[in-house]
Amino acid sequence: MNSLDNIIELTSKLIRFKSMHSQPDEIHACADFIMQWCKDNDIEASRIEQEGVPSILVMPENNSATLALMSHIDVVDATDDLFEPRIENDRLYGRGAGDDKYAAALSLVLFRDRLQALRAKGLNQKDMAFGVIITGDEEIGGANGAGHALTRVDCEYVIALDGGTPKRMVLKEKGIINLTVTTHGKAAHGARPWLGQNAIDALIDDYQAIKKLFTESTEDHWHSTVNLGIIRAGESVNQVPATATGQFNIRYTDHDDPKAIVEDIRATVSGDVHVERIDPVFASPESRYTERLLKISGAEAVQEHGASDARYLKKNGMAGVVWGAEVFGSIHTSEECVSIPSIGTLLDALQTLVMELEK
């Protein structure tokens, strides 16, 4: 069995863990499985935990490495059938196949292969040129996964294997603002709505006012955007609701000031604004490793509207990129999959880079 076969086999085993945040025990079980895999392959690994979120570090001596490959094992919720992996037409299907368990498997198998090669030369794990970081909360922001794990390692360069394609390497991602707007009215019986004031009406007005703050439109859409994703109001169909809450997801660019965006919203709406979280933009600084990886892979440097754990690199003084296999836009869907040949393409490029670092 070659390395690519090993990656697909390991990914399939990881997919079977229902590592959703609605089932945190499954996330821990998946982490336990990886720790045992490392032990079985004579690899030293450490498991750390922050606020109940497990992360796994597979590193050279003193958790210090020139390069680290970062991935995550948590997934978005799915029905039971999606945790049964299947292969069709060179694609591996299943929840986490493309986001992001193939990346964890690829990182581990590559680490095992390079460690075996070093041991054949009389060297050991402390001589490894790269390390592996696997986290457990990327899907809910990554604060206790990558946000914590990156403070525990010393890496010059990190490749977040969680986006892009073999031919599209992401050097910039938008930041995120999640906030709620709560509007207030007056409750009344649904049969006498004139005696009340419907808070949903006020929320709709606030939504329309917020949308006017995000009118910019360019061909590449590299500007701030807003989405109203969840509305909660009322307890009964025959009641005029006294409160209504809308949850907004805002994506902003490196040209925007997130605090100014929030203040503009506060000044515009009638409801109460509560900021849930503000995540920074990811913008990769210049690095010789980026230049080398682009040359090895032949990939194009691009920017993406999504976000990943790469957002935590800058605050920890690390450069890096977001890169990954071809997933055909399927992540978070019932047809989530990953291209098996594209995993092989990534493996070849990463192995070339690692072997250069070993010299």
Side-chain angles (χ1 to χ4, degrees), residues 12 30 37 73 79 83 98 160 173 199 214 238 260 266 273 276 296 302 317-318:
S12 298
C30 190
W37 185 92
I73 53 172
T79 53
F83 294 96
E173 292 179 323
F214 296 86
N238 64 345
R266 289 190 195 277
V273 177
E276 303 291 340
I296 291 171
V302 300
M318 302 175 190

Side-chain angles (χ1 to χ4, degrees), residues 275-290:
V275 177
E276 303 291 340
R277 75 183 224 225
I278 297 179
D279 293 341
V281 167
F282 163 63
S284 178
E286 291 186 5
S287 169
R288 59 193 175 101
Y289 300 114
T290 300

Side-chain angles (χ1 to χ4, degrees), residues 14 17 25-39 47 49 54 56 73:
L14 294 176
F17 289 93
D25 288 348
E26 285 286 302
I27 298 177
H28 285 274
C30 190
D32 290 341
F33 173 84
I34 291 173
M35 290 295 292
Q36 185 61 49
W37 185 92
C38 289
K39 183 178 180 180
R47 175 175 170 159
E49 193 166 307
I56 296 170
I73 53 172

Side-chain angles (χ1 to χ4, degrees), residues 52-237:
V53 175
S55 294
I56 296 170
L57 306 179
V58 185
M59 300 289 291
E61 192 173 30
N62 299 322
N63 282 342
S64 178
T66 300
L67 168 69
L69 303 180
M70 185 166 65
S71 58
H72 64 92
I73 53 172
D74 61 314
V75 300
V76 299
D77 280 9
T79 53
D80 288 350
D81 60 301
L82 292 184
F83 294 96
E84 292 294 330
R86 73 181 195 277
I87 294 176
E88 294 180 8
N89 301 321
D90 288 331
R91 297 183 185 185
L92 174 61
Y93 286 81
R95 176 60 83 234
D99 185 25
D100 190 34
K101 290 178 176 178
Y102 87 86
L106 184 159
S107 302
L108 291 167
V109 170
L110 178 58
F111 192 95
R112 181 204 65 189
D113 290 353
R114 296 316 308 154
L115 180 56
Q116 289 176 349
L118 290 182
R119 283 173 172 160
K121 299 177 182 179
L123 302 174
N124 56 44
Q125 187 164 329
K126 70 179 180 62
D127 301 302
M128 288 287 290
F130 82 103
V132 175
I133 302 169
I134 300 174
T135 66
D137 70 343
E138 193 275 343
E139 297 294 355
I140 58 171
N144 295 308
H148 176 66
L150 288 171
T151 69
R152 301 283 295 270
V153 300
D154 179 15
C155 299
E156 184 176 347
Y157 194 78
V158 176
I159 301 174
L161 292 170
D162 194 18
T165 70
K167 292 301 180 183
R168 300 178 77 254
M169 192 174 298
V170 182
L171 273 63
K172 190 180 292 186
E173 292 179 323
K174 288 181 177 179
I176 298 174
I177 305 170
N178 282 349
L179 58 79
T180 62
V181 176
T182 301
T183 54
H184 304 277
K186 180 183 177 182
H189 195 287
R192 301 175 182 85
W194 59 87
L195 297 179
Q197 184 177 355
N198 196 316
I200 295 176
D201 291 337
L203 181 60
I204 292 172
D205 289 342
D206 279 356
Y207 176 38
Q208 296 301 323
I210 289 172
K211 286 202 297 184
K212 291 179 181 178
L213 299 175
F214 296 86
T215 57
E216 185 178 1
S217 180
T218 61
E219 185 175 353
D220 64 359
H221 299 288
W222 195 251
H223 49 74
S224 59
T225 60
V226 63
N227 178 62
L228 173 57
I230 298 174
I231 295 176
R232 291 191 173 93
E235 298 177 1
S236 173
V237 70

